[in-house]
Amino acid sequence: MFGSPGHAYIHINYGLHYCLNAVTQAEGIPEAVLIRAIEPLENAALMYRNYTGDIVSEDIARQEKRIGAGPGRLTKALQIDKHFDGVDLTDSESPLFLISGATVSDNEVTTTTRIGITKAADYPWRFYVTASPFVSRRAIRVK
């Protein structure tokens, strides 16, 4: 998390699940965004198999909204582990990278308090597209 901005920081949560973070501050400043969920637009059947071990069609896999709903599910579905720690998320040649998606307005985004933690749990640092069915857990909206 102390690395360069735009790079992946992978950590293990509770010794069980890998979590993908995007470093957001200058090198040496520990700040990152936890990627909590994805919407599988391609290769949903592969992600489904990675997560469940079951083989299903692409259409059936896309109907399963929980494949990447949550940081542990996301990394399992995408087979992200410590090997991805430090990769450049801004480089399309990288094995893992982020690209711009659809633009959403502020009123389409829900801001909530953080979940699954004990420290700073009341901070409004969790954001998701309100209408997305791929969100891991819904929480009470912060005004």
Side-chain angles (χ1 to χ4, degrees), residues 33-113:
V33 172
L34 173 64
I35 311 299
R36 293 194 53 89
I38 57 167
E39 178 180 349
L41 299 175
E42 297 178 5
N43 299 314
L46 176 59
M47 288 185 251
Y48 189 94
R49 187 181 76 210
N50 290 343
Y51 185 71
T52 67
D54 296 332
I55 298 172
V56 298
S57 71
E58 188 74 9
D59 290 337
I60 290 174
R62 283 196 189 168
Q63 293 173 29
E64 176 52 60
K65 305 300 185 215
R66 309 280 302 157
I67 296 172
R73 288 183 174 147
L74 177 154
T75 54
K76 188 171 182 181
L78 295 177
Q79 295 186 318
I80 294 172
D81 60 18
K82 275 296 218 185
H83 292 98
F84 290 91
D85 191 41
V87 302
D88 186 349
L89 298 172
T90 66
D91 181 359
S92 62
E93 299 298 317
S94 173
L96 178 65
F97 60 94
L98 302 174
I99 60 171
S100 294
T103 301
V104 294
S105 65
D106 289 349
N107 63 352
E108 295 175 284
V109 175
T110 295
T111 301
T112 70
T113 54

